[in-house]
Every structure is written in C-alpha cells, then in structure tokens.
DNA sequence: TTGAAAGCGCTAACAA
DNA sequence: TTGTTAGCGCTTTCAA
C-alpha cells in the first residue's frame, strides 16, 4: 500500500495501454463503456489520484501562487493571507508563502526560488529595505519573464503591474479630521520613517487635515520611529508637551501612547484622544477600546488574488490599481 | 525575453546535445573545459535556472512542505509558521500553507490536494471539528502512502507520527500555583470546551494545582466557552461571585476578564489576579500587562520542521513526541 | 568527449 | 475502440 498508484500501474494491472487508462478515467467516448467501468472501478479501489507535479509539467502551470510578505506575525498581513488563501482556494490554487523578514536579500532569493517554475504568479508586499533602496530589479526580471505580479500595501509606483492599496492618505486625513472635530487643538503624529510608503502617505494625510483646518504644523509634534524597540522613549516626550490628540500610524504605536498616558495619569479620552491605524486585536481589547482606521486586509487579499488569477488565466496587458476603502471605527479612545 | 530558457534552448543555440549542456552546467569532468565554459557563459548570460517542476518530477521530491492550520489570524499559529518557514528555508524547502478554517472538510480536502505530489511531508494542527469527531482517516491514509506527518499543538495521541506539543497541563499547573502563591483563595478558570485537546489539558492542570494545594474544586468557578462571540456574557458572572484569581486558557479570554473587571471597578491585581496563556501582543500591551504562560510558537514550528525534514530525508520509523517547555512570564496582572 | 535514449507521470494527436 | 508516439524539462546510463 505504500506510495501512490500511477496510470502505469493501472495499465499493467488491467493489461491495457496507459493512454487508454488516461482516457477511460476522463470518461472519454473514445473508450468502450466496459473498459471505462473497469478502469474507473480499479482506480477507485486503489484510490488513484493524478500526480500534480506531472500535470504541472505537462500543462506548464502549477496552480500555485506565491506570496512574499515581510512578516507574518502581524495581524494585518495575516488577514491578507487569509483573504488570498480563500480566494485562491476557491479557484483551485494553492498558496506558497515565503517570508522576506524585512530583508531585501531574502526577498530576492525567495522570488528567484519561486520563479523557477514553482508558481504561476506572485503576490507581494515590499520590505522596508527594498523601499529604501528602491532596487526593484528582481521584480522587473520576473515581469519580463512573463510572470504576473500583484503588489499590495507596500508598493512601488514605478513597477508596471497590478496593485492593491488602501487610501492611506485619506484614512489618515479622516482620522485627524475626526480629532479636530471632537475639539483637539494640538495633535501629535506618531509615524514611521518616510521611506516606508504607507507611513509617508499617512503622514501626508495628517498634514493635509491640519492645513485644511488652518492648524499650524508643528514639527515638534511629529515623531518618526525607525526602531520599534525604542518606541516608548520617543513617544513619551510628545505626551509631555501638552497634546490633546494623537494619531498613530499603527496599532502598536497607539497602544504605546495609551499605556504611557495611563502611566502619566493622562485621562483618555477626556484629556487625550487617540486614534490608531489597522483594526486588529489590540484595538479591540484596548482599554479604552481604540478608535482606529480599519484597513480591510481580508478584502485586500481577496482583490489581490482575484487580480492575479485573472492575469494568469487571461494574460491581459492592462494594469490596474485597486483602492480598498478604509473606514474610521469610532470607539472609546476619542471624545464625544 | 519572455518565458524561461531551458536546456533545450541552450543546446540548440550552441549546437550541442541537451545532455552535454546538462553535464556542462554541472561542471562534469566528462565534458571538455572549452565546452563547459561556453555553455556556462551562455547560461549565465541568459540567466538560465533549472525548472523546479521538472526536477521534482525527476527526483520524486518537491522540496515543499505542506502546512495545514485551523487559522492564521492568530498570534500563536503565526509564530509557529514563522518558525517552520525559517527552519524549512534553511534546508532549502518552501512552505505551502493551507487553512482548514476549523472545518473538518476543508482539512480533508486540503490534505488530499497536497498529498497528490505537491509536497514531501505535512505539518498539521487539527481543527476543533476533527478533534470532536475523532475521524482521522485522512491522516492515516497519508501516512500509509508513506508521506511523513508531524502534528503539533492540537494533536491526536492515537495517530502514529511525530508530534510537537507543549506541556499544557504543566503550564496551567504552574500558572494556578502562582495564583495560589500570591495568596488567591478563590480561583476561577476560563477554558474552552473539553474536546479541544489543549483546553482539556490546561483544565486538568488547573484542577491538579488546586488539589495539590488542598483547595476544593468549585464547579461554579469553571467556565467553559464554546462560542467566543459570547465570551463576555459567560465570564461576567464569574467575576461577580467574588473570585480573587482567574486563570484563562488563552489571551482573548484573559483580556475579556480584565476589561470586564475594569468595568465593574475591580482592581487588578490588588483585588483580582489574572493569568493568561500564550505570550502574544495582547498580553504585552494590556494594562496592566498580563502575566501569562508563554508557549514558544517559534520553537514549536522549528522543531516540527526539523523533525519533518529528518523524516523526509532519512525515512526512519521511530516516532517521537517533542515537548517544548512553557514559561510563566510574570508581569503586572498578578499581585506581588 | 559527446550524444542517444530512457524515464519521472501525464496528455493528446495520430495511427491502427 | 485501442495503442503508439511525442513531448513537458531534466538527469543519467550507456554507447559511440
């Protein structure tokens, strides 16, 4: 009973040719009813299943899609994968996941590895390092080979391919607008360094909201964090300079701000309103529950998979950029 | 420049046979220095890479490992995947991930799909449904086919294969012991329904700790939650009956208890000590920060991948169960 | 030193 | 109605 049974085994056993078996299993009218039944019964008995690898080689398509993301222990990326997986599975594709672990080199290696026949197309979110270097030769190579690629979240505008993003700028704009609406006058921003595309865009949204409301931009109220390990030390001074509102570009920064406020005896939301980005576990279980900009990772994943599969199966040449809407989820960390 | 170049292309271009090209690229001494150099230069120029699928078919191994987990939007499973991926990558394997989404049927379908040649071995954590049904025919089938399988976390003792678990019972025991040490007299348990193996084991640890310390077990202090959506309603009564300690078998339940306590004006840790399970994001950012039993998902993933790869490459017949140690991480949600 | 041929498992055009 | 053959891309034995 060891090992899988092949057409060859069946053909030998039943004393017919391999192609007869192949056709019989497909219920081809070329084959007599009798033979068909005999073969099918035998195949069923021994639980025959065609070998995926052989089919891939024959058909020159693997029915696998490759996903490369910077990290997986991250609520947002996990939801994206869930979305991709669901959509892919529904169309008969499997998902091969590689982690670039925020390393440019790993991103390149993983792409090369997968590009050598293992998959039919890529879904990818760039590492910070790649965004900083602006070195996209590996993406271009893959595209030139004719392999479809969909970029999401951390993208590069200059790459000719499909993209799925959220409107980071608008999400941030809405959040800061909300802070202004509930009466905040002095609003701090906790962001990432600028080379991370989403951080940069959210920062722009913050600035636009201030400008539109005729609030002067104060650079002292803008904290850009490179190293998450030192987030606390960088955020503390911000809370000490009398802000009454804080917009953070991710959940962790928002939570750090909330916890620091607790320590300093600053009351949320009466003295300080806080809004985060990404509607993950942290936001829901925070106390007070965090008002946040939700980015629907699940939908992003679904859209990305859908676009990719369409490209794989249709080979069109027009590239689209799909913008998934954000939504401000108002909870208890903002006044009113 | 479209499409990948193959040995055939090279052989045609250089007017030598395919096998000569193959050997030359491997620097075989069979081939003259001159030919080798010519072929290698050409291959480099056109960026030749052997086709993974063809290699898989030829070698009858794919260098892929299949991972099936109940969900991915879950810190613990995400860390396990990270561990698997790291270890697998280091040995030249890729990771194909399928989500069973807690559905027995999806688990079966995914296994069958992957078992048909796509991977060299499985790493799997059972769905709740599978654990409830105790129907393991799909696992047995795969094992009978000669495909290695490693089970982790949610396992079934009766399956003959390698396993990686944590000592759930001891982890729970230690946690409850800690509560007793800091002076808790009336300790509640928030657990899952019993058919989930880890929930059952953690419940046992709770019971053992009470018994060992001569504390009478009070069934009213034990809450078993089936549906996470109604966790709050089920936990609230527990807090109303005067407990001074609570042990929850996961982070979410612990956080729900903490937040309910806040609402009810119960002070943590002075009036109520809380300990959770799994050292994830929630525990770290909770206020007060949550004392918790850490289960090192990363290590679990690494061990699982290591065991699987060994089985793939060595074909030994002895099955091991590796127990990864838990550790009590004491933070601010427990007295003293 | 090179190449022909077989084979991994499957499909499909064509021949018998 | 069935079988032969070629081919997907590669490796490897054996013959030239």
């Amino acid at each position: 009973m060891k090992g899988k049974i092949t057409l060859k085994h069946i053909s030998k056993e039943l004393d017919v040719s391999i192609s007869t078996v192949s056709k019989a299993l497909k219920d081809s009218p070329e084959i007599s009813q009798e033979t068909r039944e005999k073969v099918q019964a035998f195949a069923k008995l021994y639980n025959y299943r065609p070998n995926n690898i052989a089919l891939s080689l024959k058909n020159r398509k693997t029915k696998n899609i490759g996903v490369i993301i910077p990290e997986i222990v991250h609520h947002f990326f996990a939801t994206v994968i869930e979305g991709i997986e669901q959509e892919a599975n529904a169309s008969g594709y499997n998902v091969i996941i590689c982690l670039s672990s925020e390393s440019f080199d790993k991103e390149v290696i993983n792409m090369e590895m997968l590009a050598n026949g293992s998959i039919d197309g890529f879904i990818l979110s760039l590492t910070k390092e790649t965004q900083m270097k602006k070195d996209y030769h590996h993406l271009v190579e893959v595209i030139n080979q004719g392999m479809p690629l969909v970029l999401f979240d951390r993208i590069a505008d200059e790459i000719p391919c499909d993209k799925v993003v959220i409107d980071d700028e608008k999400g941030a704009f809405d959040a800061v607008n909300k802070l202004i609406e509930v009466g905040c006058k002095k609003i701090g921003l906790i962001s990432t360094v600028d080379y991370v595309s989403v951080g940069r865009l959210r920062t722009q949204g913050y600035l636009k909201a201030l400008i539109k409301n005729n609030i002067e931009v104060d650079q002292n109220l803008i904290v850009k964090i490179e190293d998450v390990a030192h987030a606390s030390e960088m955020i503390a001074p911000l809370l000490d300079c009398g802000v009454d509102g804080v917009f953070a570009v991710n959940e962790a920064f928002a939570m750090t701000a909330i916890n620091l406020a607790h320590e300093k005896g600053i009351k949320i939301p009466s003295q300080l309103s806080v809004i985060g980005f990404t509607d993950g576990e942290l936001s829901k279980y925070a106390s007070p529950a965090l008002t946040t900009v939700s980015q629907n990772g699940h939908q992003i994943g679904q859209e990305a998979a859908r676009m990719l599969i369409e490209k794989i199966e249709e080979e069109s040449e027009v590239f689209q950029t799909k913008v998934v809407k954000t939504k401000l989820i108002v909870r208890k960390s903002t006044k009113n």
Side-chain angles (χ1 to χ4, degrees), chain A residues 46-261:
Chain A
Y46 287 97
N47 197 25
Y48 169 79
R49 292 278 181 279
N51 179 309
N52 289 155
I53 296 294
L55 287 179
S56 295
L57 185 59
K58 179 81 191 146
N59 302 330
R60 281 106 147 298
K61 54 185 179 181
T62 62
K63 285 281 186 174
N64 284 153
I65 75 187
V67 177
I68 301 183
I69 51 173
E71 45 175 336
I72 194 166
V73 184
H74 191 301
H75 185 268
F76 171 68
F77 284 121
T79 56
V80 173
I81 293 197
E82 193 181 59
I84 293 174
E85 216 270 348
Q86 184 184 316
E87 192 67 26
N89 250 25
S91 305
Y93 285 79
N94 277 125
V95 178
I96 299 188
I97 294 186
C98 289
L99 305 180
S100 50
S101 308
E102 296 290 7
S103 147
F104 174 80
D105 290 341
K106 269 205 79 181
E107 185 175 284
V108 173
I109 290 172
N110 281 326
M111 280 199 86
E112 286 181 352
M113 171 124 250
L114 292 182
N116 297 324
S118 302
I119 60 168
D120 297 337
F122 275 108
I123 296 179
L124 188 143
S125 188
L126 298 171
T127 68
K128 289 180 192 167
E129 231 187 316
T130 311
Q131 290 200 319
M132 189 170 53
K133 286 185 153 177
K134 292 179 184 297
D135 179 349
Y136 309 124
H137 76 273
H138 49 308
L139 306 182
V140 174
E141 232 163 64
V142 157
I143 292 171
N144 284 343
Q145 270 178 205
M147 179 164 298
L149 163 67
V150 177
L151 248 29
F152 76 91
D153 196 55
R154 305 215 298 230
I155 67 168
D157 288 326
E158 49 267 69
I159 303 295
C161 67
D162 285 327
K163 290 160 195 139
V164 184
V165 292
I166 58 163
D167 193 340
D168 289 290
E169 192 178 303
K170 176 159 185 307
F173 180 91
D174 291 347
V176 176
N177 234 5
K178 170 75 182 176
L179 289 172
I180 295 169
E181 267 174 44
V182 300
C184 297
K185 303 287 181 215
K186 199 170 172 185
I187 300 173
L189 169 71
I190 310 176
S191 185
T192 62
V193 283
D194 271 345
Y195 59 74
V196 179
S197 59
V198 296
R200 186 179 62 244
L201 291 167
R202 291 171 197 173
T203 299
Q204 272 169 32
Y206 162 86
L207 295 173
K208 283 209 176 158
L210 294 189
I211 291 164
K212 192 196 149 216
N213 287 278
N214 299 311
I215 299 180
E216 206 178 332
V217 174
D218 178 352
Q219 291 298 335
N220 295 317
L221 301 183
I222 299 179
V223 180
K224 293 190 179 171
I225 296 177
E226 170 130 36
D227 181 7
V228 184
H230 300 117
S232 266
E233 296 128 65
M234 301 207 48
I235 295 173
L238 182 65
L239 300 185
D240 291 332
C241 67
V243 292
D244 56 3
V246 162
F247 170 58
V249 301
N250 61 41
E251 275 190 307
F253 292 170
M255 290 303 294
T256 305
I258 286 185
N259 286 336
L260 281 170

Side-chain angles (χ1 to χ4, degrees), chain A residues 2 18 29 53 77 82 88 113 200 212 279 284 287 291 295 314:
Chain A
K2 275 241 171 171
I18 294 180
I53 296 294
F77 284 121
E82 193 181 59
M113 171 124 250
R200 186 179 62 244
K212 192 196 149 216
D279 183 30
K284 283 173 202 139
S287 74
T291 294
Q295 44 176 166
E314 320 250 320

Side-chain angles (χ1 to χ4, degrees), chain A residues 1-6 9 46:
Chain A
M1 254 292 188
K2 275 241 171 171
K4 300 230 72 171
I5 192 175
T6 68
H9 294 132
Y46 287 97

Side-chain angles (χ1 to χ4, degrees), chain A residues 276-289:
Chain A
F277 214 107
T278 295
D279 183 30
E281 296 287 288
L282 287 178
S283 306
K284 283 173 202 139
Y285 286 101
S287 74

